């Protein structure tokens, strides 16, 4: 039930963040967040003194430089707006994605378990189906600080630091070059905004996959369908040498990683008595087709 609530809340949040990103992409030209971030209008009107002499090579240089500059500016500007939108929902995100509650007493972040439902595959001489398929997508690991939703959602968004300006020799020198520059900047800006939204979508998918996958590990532990991670600890009163001294030296290491339990005799009785619900399957020749993940 908890996994379903998180999945529903994630969909709602993703939709609201996406809507915020769409509004950002359409209004980014009028937004000036800080002095270090150039708006679309500022980039468009950049010029350089001197004579033009527009040629084929010069046109190509202007287009490529303009698109690159517009892309970086659009990505940074839209990324900052998306980050602001997330901070406005920080209370909800903090409530949903509580990674600290999943960390074990030994300081281990659980593995991420993926689940696929209604799996089917076939080729010319065989046909296979499965109601559920579990896979360890990422193993457990020691951590010193639990991750937060910010570590996931803000990854890859260039929201800090100033925008690198091009050399003055590349900037347009007359109206003909300025027109070419404006078109390239505008095109690159739109591509940068789309890239920012794509990064946010991928980050959100990874966040929900990892968090629900760690919750699923706890569920499978209770059902006996996965073997628990084993951690060994050794304590030495004093270690070191003439240059370094450690008192009360504790050493922890993972001796057995979590592994799925293929023997149903080791599962809990409730799991053994559970009957799979009939569901429709979609099959594709030579491919594995999975239903929606929980």
């Amino acid at each position: 039930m908890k996994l379903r609530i998180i999945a529903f809340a994630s969909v709602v949040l993703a939709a609201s963040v996406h809507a915020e990103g769409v509004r950002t992409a359409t209004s980014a030209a009028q937004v000036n967040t800080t002095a270090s971030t150039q708006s679309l209008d500022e980039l468009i009107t950049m010029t350089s003194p001197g004579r033009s002499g527009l040629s084929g090579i010069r046109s190509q240089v202007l287009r490529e430089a303009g698109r690159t500059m517009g892309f970086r500016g659009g990505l940074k500007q839209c990324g900052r707006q998306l980050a602001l939108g997330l901070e406005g929902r920080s209370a909800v995100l903090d409530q949903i994605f509580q990674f600290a509650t999943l960390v074990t007493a030994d300081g281990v972040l659980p593995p991420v378990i993926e689940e696929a439902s209604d799996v089917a595959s076939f080729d010319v001489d065989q046909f296979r189906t499965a109601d559920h398929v579990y896979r360890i997508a990422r193993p457990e690991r020691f951590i010193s600080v639990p991750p937060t939703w910010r570590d996931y959602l803000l990854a890859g968004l260039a929201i800090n630091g100033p925008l690198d300006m091009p050399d003055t020799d590349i900037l347009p020198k007359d109206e003909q070059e300025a027109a070419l520059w404006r078109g390239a900047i505008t095109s690159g800006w739109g591509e940068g905004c789309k890239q920012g939204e794509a990064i946010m979508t991928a980050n959100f998918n990874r966040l929900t996959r990892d968090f629900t996958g760690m919750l699923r590990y706890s569920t499978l532990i209770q059902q006996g369908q996965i073997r628990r991670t084993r951690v060994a600890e050794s304590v030495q009163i004093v270690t070191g040498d003439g240059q370094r001294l450690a008192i009360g030296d504790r050493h922890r290491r993972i001796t057995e990683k979590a592994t799925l339990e293929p023997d149903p005799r080791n599962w809990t009785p409730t799991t053994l008595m559970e009957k799979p619900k009939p569901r429709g399957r979609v099959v594709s020749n030579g491919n594995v087709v999975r239903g929606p993940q929980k």
Side-chain angles (χ1 to χ4, degrees):
M1 177 62 71
K2 189 173 183 180
L3 290 177
R4 294 177 181 174
I5 294 174
I6 291 174
F8 175 76
S10 300
V11 170
V12 173
L13 283 169
S16 61
V17 169
H18 177 73
E20 181 70 24
V22 172
R23 291 193 295 270
T24 298
T26 57
S27 62
Q30 287 75 36
V31 176
N32 259 321
T33 55
T34 65
S36 62
T37 302
Q38 280 66 32
S39 69
L40 177 58
D41 289 338
E42 289 174 331
L43 293 180
I44 284 177
T45 56
M46 294 179 70
T47 59
S48 175
R51 302 179 62 182
S52 171
L54 186 62
S55 63
I57 296 179
R58 174 69 176 170
S59 299
Q60 183 177 357
V61 170
L62 278 173
R63 287 192 183 94
E64 291 180 356
R67 288 188 63 181
T68 301
M69 179 60 55
F71 180 87
R72 293 174 180 173
L75 178 60
K76 184 178 291 291
Q77 187 85 300
C78 294
R80 289 185 174 182
Q81 293 301 313
L82 289 170
L84 288 175
L86 289 173
E87 288 300 332
R89 301 172 179 84
S90 60
V92 179
L93 292 168
D94 290 339
Q95 183 68 26
I96 296 176
F97 300 105
Q98 299 182 30
F99 283 93
T101 62
L102 303 178
V103 180
T104 68
D106 298 315
V108 176
L109 191 67
V112 176
I113 312 297
E114 289 184 338
E115 178 184 4
S117 303
D118 300 328
V119 179
S121 66
F122 74 94
D123 54 30
V124 293
D125 58 357
Q126 66 176 341
F127 177 78
R128 302 183 66 179
T129 64
D131 294 303
H132 298 277
V133 175
Y134 297 99
R135 184 179 73 90
I136 299 178
R138 196 183 67 186
E140 61 276 80
R141 66 186 191 275
F142 282 112
I143 59 169
S144 56
V145 179
T148 68
W149 58 265
R150 291 180 179 86
D151 298 321
Y152 282 87
L153 297 185
L154 301 183
L157 292 177
I159 58 178
N160 297 319
L163 186 64
D164 294 333
M165 294 292 102
D167 190 85
T168 55
D169 292 336
I170 300 178
L171 298 177
K173 297 178 173 59
D174 58 22
E175 183 55 35
Q176 185 180 6
E177 290 189 359
L180 187 64
W181 177 263
R182 285 194 295 269
I185 286 287
T186 303
S187 175
W189 188 278
E191 293 173 0
C193 286
K194 289 181 181 179
Q195 180 66 20
E197 292 184 18
I199 291 174
M200 178 62 67
T201 300
N203 288 348
F204 205 94
N205 291 338
R206 188 166 61 92
L207 170 62
T208 53
R209 184 207 69 168
D210 283 9
F211 190 76
T212 55
M214 294 176 193
L215 284 177
R216 188 173 290 114
Y217 167 76
S218 301
T219 301
L220 294 180
I221 285 289
Q222 297 173 3
Q223 297 175 349
Q225 292 179 298
I226 193 170
R227 300 187 185 102
R228 189 186 302 271
T229 303
R230 301 295 180 184
V231 176
E233 179 180 284
S234 61
V235 181
Q236 293 180 280
I237 299 177
V238 178
T239 61
D241 51 32
Q243 302 299 320
R244 179 180 179 276
L245 183 65
I247 301 176
D249 187 6
R250 290 178 172 81
H251 178 217
R252 291 176 181 172
R253 60 188 180 90
I254 297 177
T255 56
E256 295 182 22
K257 290 184 177 295
T259 55
L260 295 168
E261 175 56 75
D263 189 351
R265 292 174 298 181
N266 296 327
W267 298 356
T268 60
T270 54
T271 304
L272 288 172
M273 295 174 61
E274 182 182 355
K275 296 182 180 179
K277 298 179 181 180
R279 300 179 182 177
R281 295 183 176 87
V282 181
V283 232
S284 178
N285 189 17
N287 297 319
V288 176
V289 180
R290 296 179 174 87
Q293 294 185 355
K294 293 183 179 180

